[in-house]
Amino acid sequence: MKDVIALTPNMPDSWAVVAGLFAGGPGLDVGAGHDGAVIQLRAADGRPLVSLEAPLLVHVPGEAERLLGGDVSEPPVPYWWTEVRASTAVPEAGPLAGSVAGRLTALLGGSVWPAGAATTEVVRTAAAETVAATDDDDALTVDVLTDSTAVVLADRPLLVLTAWLSAILRKVTDAGLALHIVTPPHVRLSLPLRTALAGAPNRWVVQDPDCGYYDGLSGAVLHWQNGTFTPVVDEAGERSAAKVFTEHAPATERQLGVAFRVTHRPDDSLVLGRALETAWSALTGSAPAGWGTAEPINLRWSKDQLTNLARERSPEPTHLLAVGHPDRPAIATHRVTRTPDGVAEDITLTLGYGEDETPPLDALEALARTLVAEHGLTSMLVTLRRARRDLAVPPRFEAPPIPVSFTLGADDVHTIGLDHARRPPVELQPVHLGSTARPALYYPLGDGTDAQAWTVLQQLHAHLRTEPAD
């Protein structure tokens, strides 16, 4: 799919949308769409040419620059974000999408990304004869669909977990298919999309002039075989990595990762998001800037709204995202689930630091202490890695994270036994957190520069899983 985005200070109402749709010429009927699309321009054979997603009101500053690059012209918040997706199967679909977006901004103000795509010309296509909604909400609007794989072609500076991609991934999973996203080599992934794609059978397929295609997360050289992208193997059955994936200078910027779980008793007065806000404030000096269920993240940070959404979706889990202010790159994934004992929040917060910036490692013990005392911390693992400050994922090898500290909550310490938990068979001196009678334990593992910390952590985990000697 080829994306064109209209950023407008005024809401795209029905009349503006109709005017945009006349980019395909007169005589078109308008129908309501499904799967997040307001309208679909469809060919005579039913194939979608252009789809308009539901406009999104963005209240979070910096999202357009984060997702589209520094050359985008972002209106003052709040503004409306309208994605126009063009099929790659019909040559005229791309210019048609640009004309739809250009007509929206001509009426409503604002700008179009990419800037060169905006026109107001009528784009005639021999295939575009009707405008209709898709009647099948389970239909997969992808570029290539085989018996085993759904393929999406994408080209934008940062490919993110939009509501549309999230829905495609969910439908592909439900259908037992693989999702393969094919991009040029300059494309990067957002952390939420990288997390969503992790693990077989899904792939990020990167085009390469030397080897053809390779996996952007593992580096394995790929080829198209039997309706899917699969690793190339030699006569000995060995796989090879793309040269471009492994040959690069190590990153000088760093990312701090804070992954933790907090658990709560079910209570009508429970407010979710407090632990995430506490961690964010401890490490950045301010609360998150915004939250949402997909990218762009459009809502101002609100623990009450977040809690209300999770209550509405319960007992099903709720997957959320949060983003920081533009001056401190930070993003978090937040999963809320019901457990036999109550409610759990699983949070992974990632923060970016430049070469001349110092990650706040000295704040970690105090953060663990607060999460134990006030938020029901179950466990927390903090890591540091050499990777991009802007948190984007390139199609290149990145050094794995190195553990900095591990915290074990009071309940697990009690279950394991305090004497056993505080005497691991490695040179660690855990710090007691919380009450003296029922403490949690904070295990410092290093400063994130020595990979040997993984061995120490593995030995610690093995010790904690071992029954104490009588």
Side-chain angles (χ1 to χ4, degrees):
M1 296 291 174
K2 180 178 178 59
D3 300 331
V4 182
I5 299 169
L7 307 174
T8 61
N10 299 302
M11 182 180 73
D13 57 18
S14 57
W15 290 108
V17 171
V18 168
L21 292 173
F22 270 95
L28 301 179
D29 297 324
V30 177
H34 294 279
D35 193 22
V38 178
I39 303 277
Q40 283 192 334
L41 294 172
R42 299 176 68 88
D45 61 4
R47 291 178 300 163
L49 297 174
V50 171
S51 300
L52 277 75
E53 288 196 13
L56 194 66
L57 184 60
V58 176
H59 292 273
V60 183
E63 274 298 270
E65 183 176 351
R66 180 178 77 89
L67 302 184
L68 303 177
D71 59 347
V72 67
S73 179
E74 181 180 73
V77 294
Y79 60 86
W80 292 90
W81 178 300
T82 306
E83 297 220 8
V84 187
R85 299 196 315 272
S87 170
T88 57
V90 179
E92 299 92 345
L96 180 59
S99 185
V100 171
R103 288 164 177 251
L104 289 177
T105 55
L107 288 172
L108 304 170
S111 59
V112 170
W113 177 92
T119 73
T120 56
E121 298 177 357
V122 173
V123 180
R124 303 268 184 192
T125 64
E129 297 182 359
T130 61
V131 177
T134 174
D135 294 326
D136 183 3
D137 194 40
D138 291 325
L140 280 171
T141 52
V142 296
D143 293 288
V144 178
L145 183 62
T146 71
D147 292 340
S148 64
T149 305
V151 179
V152 171
L153 309 180
D155 184 1
R156 52 200 290 180
L158 185 68
L159 191 59
V160 303
L161 190 62
T162 62
W164 175 74
L165 257 183
S166 181
I168 290 294
L169 183 58
R170 183 177 63 252
K171 291 178 179 180
V172 163
T173 302
D174 291 344
L177 302 175
L179 176 61
H180 291 180
I181 299 179
V182 182
T183 74
H186 64 265
V187 173
R188 294 160 289 126
L189 303 188
S190 71
L191 278 178
L193 181 56
R194 189 254 183 271
T195 301
L197 284 178
N202 303 321
R203 289 189 188 277
W204 176 21
V205 181
V206 181
Q207 299 165 331
D208 180 68
D210 292 330
C211 66
Y213 300 95
Y214 69 93
D215 189 302
L217 300 180
S218 72
V221 175
L222 305 173
H223 62 166
W224 181 258
Q225 186 177 50
N226 299 326
T228 192
F229 285 99
T230 186
V232 175
V233 296
D234 59 22
E235 294 180 355
E238 298 293 329
R239 301 181 182 184
S240 60
K243 182 179 179 181
V244 67
F245 182 81
T246 55
E247 291 188 354
H248 72 291
T252 57
E253 301 172 330
R254 288 175 290 178
Q255 293 177 6
L256 183 67
V258 185
F260 62 98
R261 165 177 272 215
V262 294
T263 54
H264 317 278
R265 295 177 180 175
D267 190 300
D268 290 341
S269 62
L270 175 62
V271 177
L272 300 172
R274 293 173 58 245
L276 175 57
E277 182 176 281
T278 294
W280 213 296
S281 298
L283 299 175
T284 71
S286 62
W291 76 283
T293 57
E295 297 175 283
I297 296 171
N298 65 311
L299 301 173
R300 293 189 186 95
W301 175 249
S302 169
K303 299 185 295 294
D304 290 337
Q305 291 180 359
L306 183 156
T307 301
N308 290 339
L309 177 64
R311 288 186 188 279
E312 291 173 3
R313 294 186 173 183
S314 183
E316 295 299 316
T318 299
H319 297 266
L320 305 169
L321 304 172
V323 72
H325 298 275
D327 59 342
R328 168 54 59 215
I331 195 165
T333 57
H334 184 187
R335 186 172 188 263
V336 181
T337 54
R338 289 297 304 267
T339 69
D341 299 323
V343 179
E345 296 178 84
D346 290 286
I347 297 165
T348 299
L349 169 60
T350 307
L351 306 101
Y353 297 89
E355 186 176 3
D356 57 347
E357 296 176 308
T358 302
L361 303 186
D362 56 354
L364 297 175
E365 182 181 327
L367 170 60
R369 192 178 302 276
T370 301
L371 293 175
V372 166
E374 301 177 11
H375 301 286
L377 180 70
T378 298
S379 64
M380 180 169 73
L381 176 64
V382 179
T383 60
L384 191 64
R385 67 182 305 186
R386 291 193 174 275
R388 297 173 61 111
R389 182 183 187 272
D390 64 6
L391 308 182
V393 181
R396 304 287 187 272
F397 174 79
E398 290 188 309
I402 297 175
V404 173
S405 68
F406 175 72
T407 305
L408 189 65
D411 288 346
D412 284 346
V413 170
H414 178 76
T415 300
I416 292 169
L418 176 59
D419 286 342
H420 184 71
R422 68 182 177 183
R423 293 192 176 96
V426 286
E427 293 183 3
L428 290 179
Q429 294 184 353
V431 179
H432 288 221
L433 308 177
S435 70
T436 303
R438 195 180 177 92
L441 293 177
Y442 173 86
Y443 300 89
L445 300 171
D447 62 1
T449 60
D450 186 358
Q452 184 65 24
W454 276 118
T455 301
V456 175
L457 180 62
Q458 290 168 356
Q459 292 172 337
L460 173 61
H461 280 176
H463 173 74
L464 295 175
R465 291 193 299 265
T466 303
E467 293 287 340
D470 294 334

